[in-house]
C-alpha cells in the first residue's frame, strides 16, 4: 500500500525549496550566489535561516525510504538504470538545454563575462549551471553507494537489525547527524555536504523505512512539533542575520539538534494527518520532481529582470519573483513534458511504452 504522506511531504518540501530560493537570491547576509546589492528584507533572511538546516536533510531521508520501497519490486540493476535516467540525465545533458541560463547569469552577476572568450561562454555557462541540481547528482551517487552496500550485505542484516531500534535511539540519532555534518564537506561549494546527506539517505533506507519506526515517530508528533516551534524561535534569535550556510552554523550541535527535531515532527505529523490522496496531491506528487528541476533558471531570470530593469520596493520584488517562479515553472513543466526528447533529457521521463511501440511501427 502506497504511503501517501511520504509523497505529500516530498512535494510540500519542494514548494518550500522554491520559496527559500527567492529569499536566497535576495539575501542580505552575504551568502554567495545571490544578486549583489539587491533590495532586501531582513525578516526573509531569518525565514531562510529557519528552513535551510533541515529541508534538504528531510528530502534525502525521504529519498532513502523511497529507495527501500522501490528495491522491493526491482533488481539492483533495474533500480540503477531507472535512477540513471531520472537523475543523471537532467543533471548532465539537461544543463545544455536550459540550465546554462543559470550558469550564464551567475557569471554575469559575478562580473566574469569580460574574462571569458565568446567561444567558451556557452560551455562554461553549462558547467556553471548546476544550481539546485546538486541534489539529484548527489542522490544518484548515494543510490550507487546503496547498491554497493546491498551487494556486500546480501542477507539484508543491517536493515533487519535496524528494525529493533527504540525511541531513545531514534532521538539520539541526531548525534550521528551531527557527527556526519563534520565530514566530507566541499569548500566553496558548501551545498555539497556529502557526510550529512549520505547519512540522512541511509537512515531513511535502513531505519525509517520500517513500519514500527514510523509508528514510534508518529506517537511523539505532538511533543516534537512543540519542540520544533520552540527551537525554530531560538534558532532564529541566535542565527538570524548571519550567514546560515557557514560551517560554524551548519556544524554546530544546536543546528543539528534543531534539524532533527523538525524532521521527526514533520514525519510524525505527516503520517498522522497527511496520509491521503486527492486530485491535487496526485498532481503534485507526479510533478514536484520536474518543478524542482526547472524552477531555478526561471527564478534567476525573473530576479535579474526585477533588479536591473525595474525599481520596485523590496516587498514587490519578493512577491513578483515568487509569483513568476511558480506560474512560469509550472507552465514550462507542462510544456516540456509534452515534448518527447526534451522530456527525456531535461526531466528524466522515459518514453511511454505506447510511444515506443508507435515509433517502432512508424520505422
Amino acid at each position: 500500500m502506497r504511503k501517501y504522506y511520504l509523497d505529500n511531504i516530498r512535494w510540500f518540501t519542494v514548494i518550500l525549496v522554491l520559496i527559500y530560493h527567492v529569499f536566497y537570491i535576495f539575501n542580505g547576509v552575504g551568502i554567495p550566489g545571490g544578486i549583489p546589492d539587491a533590495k532586501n528584507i531582513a525578516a526573509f533572511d531569518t525565514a531562510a535561516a529557519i528552513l535551510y538546516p533541515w529541508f534538504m536533510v528531510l528530502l534525502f531521508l525521504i529519498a532513502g525510504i523511497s529507495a527501500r520501497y522501490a528495491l522491493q519490486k526491482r533488481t539492483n540493476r533495474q533500480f540503477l538504470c531507472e535512477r540513471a535516467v531520472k537523475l543523471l540525465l537532467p543533471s548532465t545533458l539537461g544543463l545544455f538545454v536550459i540550465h546554462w541560463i543559470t550558469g550564464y547569469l551567475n557569471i554575469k552577476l559575478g562580473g566574469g563575462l569580460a574574462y571569458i572568450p565568446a567561444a567558451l561562454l556557452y560551455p562554461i555557462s553549462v558547467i556553471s549551471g548546476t544550481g539546485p541540481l546538486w541534489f539529484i547528482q548527489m542522490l544518484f551517487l548515494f543510490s550507487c553507494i546503496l547498491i554497493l552496500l546491498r551487494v556486500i550485505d546480501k542477507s539484508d542484516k543491517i536493515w533487519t537489525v535496524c528494525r529493533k531500534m527504540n525511541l531513545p535511539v531514534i532521538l539520539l540519532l541526531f548525534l550521528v547527524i551531527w557527527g556526519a555534518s563534520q565530514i566530507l564537506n566541499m569548500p566553496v561549494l558548501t551545498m555539497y555536504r556529502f557526510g550529512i546527506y549520505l547519512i540522512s539517505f541511509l537512515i531513511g533506507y535502513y531505519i525509517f523505512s520500517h513500519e514500527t519506526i514510523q509508528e514510534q515517530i508518529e506517537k511523539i508528533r505532538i511533543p516534537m512539533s512543540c519542540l520544533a516551534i520552540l527551537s525554530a524561535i531560538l534558532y532564529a534569535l541566535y542565527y538570524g542575520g548571519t550567514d546560515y550556510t557557514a560551517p560554524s552554523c551548519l556544524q554546530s550541535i544546536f543546528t543539528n539538534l534543531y534539524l532533527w527535531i523538525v524532521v521527526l515532527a514533520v514525519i510524525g505529523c505527516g503520517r498522522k494527518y497527511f496520509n491521503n490522496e486527492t486530485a491535487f496531491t496526485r498532481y503534485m506528487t507526479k510533478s514536484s520532481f520536474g518543478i524542482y528541476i526547472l524552477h531555478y533558471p526561471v527564478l534567476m531570470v525573473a530576479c535579474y529582470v526585477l533588479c536591473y530593469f525595474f525599481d520596485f520596493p523590496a516587498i514587490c520584488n519578493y512577491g513578483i519573483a515568487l509569483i513568476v517562479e511558480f506560474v512560469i515553472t509550472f507552465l514550462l513543466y507542462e510544456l516540456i513534458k509534452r515534448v518527447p526528447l526534451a522530456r527525456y533529457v531535461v526531466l528524466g521521463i522515459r518514453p511511454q511504452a505506447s510511444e515506443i511501440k508507435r515509433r517502432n511501427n512508424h520505422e
Side-chain angles (χ1 to χ4, degrees):
M1 181 178 178
R2 191 173 185 89
K3 297 184 182 297
Y4 295 118
Y5 81 93
L6 295 176
D7 294 330
N8 292 335
I9 290 174
R10 185 187 295 109
W11 68 253
F12 183 75
T13 306
V14 168
I15 295 299
L16 291 181
V17 171
L18 269 64
I19 296 171
Y20 163 79
H21 278 140
V22 176
F23 299 160
Y24 161 73
I25 288 179
F26 291 132
N27 87 83
V29 292
I31 301 173
I35 292 182
D37 303 317
K39 294 178 181 178
N40 170 259
I41 297 176
F44 291 145
D45 289 336
T46 301
I50 292 172
L51 288 173
Y52 189 75
W54 58 267
F55 63 174
M56 297 311 294
V57 169
L58 180 62
L59 281 179
F60 277 109
L61 194 146
I62 295 294
I65 300 174
S66 300
R68 178 70 199 189
Y69 297 153
L71 281 162
Q72 291 174 346
K73 302 176 182 178
R74 296 163 178 82
T75 65
N76 291 343
R77 181 183 177 85
Q78 288 171 335
F79 177 79
L80 276 185
C81 288
E82 288 182 2
R83 290 302 184 269
V85 172
K86 184 176 182 180
L87 303 175
L88 207 55
L89 281 182
S91 61
T92 53
L93 297 182
L95 298 176
F96 291 86
V97 180
I98 187 170
H99 299 287
W100 64 269
I101 297 171
T102 300
Y104 174 81
L105 288 176
N106 281 333
I107 295 168
K108 183 177 179 64
L109 292 170
L113 288 183
Y115 305 98
I116 300 176
L120 296 178
L121 182 56
Y122 175 68
I124 293 177
S125 296
V126 169
I127 295 171
S128 306
T130 300
L133 298 186
W134 64 265
F135 167 66
I136 59 176
Q137 291 174 344
M138 292 179 72
L139 196 53
F140 180 73
L141 172 63
F142 296 164
S143 297
C144 294
I145 293 173
L146 175 61
I147 295 305
L148 178 61
L149 292 173
R150 282 173 57 89
V151 171
I152 295 171
D153 181 28
K154 293 181 179 179
S155 58
D156 217 10
K157 289 182 180 179
I158 299 175
W159 185 77
T160 303
V161 169
C162 288
R163 180 189 298 166
K164 302 175 183 178
M165 286 190 178
N166 56 24
L167 192 54
V169 175
I170 295 170
L171 294 173
L172 289 173
L173 282 174
F174 93 88
L175 293 173
V176 178
I177 293 287
W178 176 46
S181 73
Q182 314 300 313
I183 61 173
L184 301 178
N185 299 309
M186 285 190 65
V188 183
L189 300 175
T190 56
M191 72 287 289
Y192 288 98
R193 303 174 65 209
F194 291 96
I196 188 171
Y197 292 143
L198 174 58
I199 287 298
S200 300
F201 179 77
L202 294 178
I203 286 175
Y205 180 86
Y206 283 110
I207 302 174
F208 281 44
S209 60
H210 290 285
E211 189 72 22
T212 54
I213 301 293
Q214 295 173 22
E215 290 172 357
Q216 292 182 69
I217 295 171
E218 181 183 339
K219 289 177 182 177
I220 59 170
R221 66 189 181 281
I222 301 301
M224 285 298 104
S225 297
C226 294
L227 282 173
I229 294 170
L230 176 61
S231 57
I233 294 171
L234 295 175
Y235 193 82
L237 292 173
Y238 191 79
Y239 283 114
T242 66
D243 180 355
Y244 50 82
T245 68
S248 58
C249 173
L250 295 178
Q251 295 174 10
S252 75
I253 193 167
F254 178 27
T255 297
N256 289 277
L257 175 60
Y258 161 60
L259 76 85
W260 193 242
I261 289 171
V262 175
V263 166
L264 293 179
V266 171
I267 292 177
C269 289
R271 191 175 191 273
K272 177 65 177 180
Y273 304 115
F274 302 105
N275 195 23
N276 51 53
E277 185 184 46
T278 65
F280 173 74
T281 63
R282 190 181 307 116
Y283 173 80
M284 291 302 300
T285 295
K286 187 177 181 180
S287 307
S288 62
F289 183 76
I291 298 302
Y292 180 91
I293 288 174
L294 294 172
H295 81 279
Y296 202 69
V298 173
L299 180 60
M300 283 288 291
V301 171
C303 292
Y304 178 82
V305 170
L306 284 169
C307 288
Y308 290 96
F309 292 89
F310 297 94
D311 190 26
F312 295 128
I315 188 64
C316 293
N317 284 343
Y318 280 89
I320 294 171
L322 189 63
I323 293 170
V324 170
E325 177 189 26
F326 273 79
V327 172
I328 300 300
T329 301
F330 275 83
L331 290 176
L332 186 61
Y333 168 76
E334 289 296 328
L335 172 63
I336 290 178
K337 78 176 187 180
R338 287 169 168 78
V339 181
L341 182 58
R343 179 178 67 210
Y344 185 62
V345 173
V346 177
L347 300 178
I349 300 176
R350 290 175 176 271
Q352 296 179 357
S354 58
E355 184 177 315
I356 296 174
K357 183 177 179 180
R358 184 168 58 252
R359 187 186 308 159
N360 291 338
N361 291 337
H362 178 73
E363 292 173 353

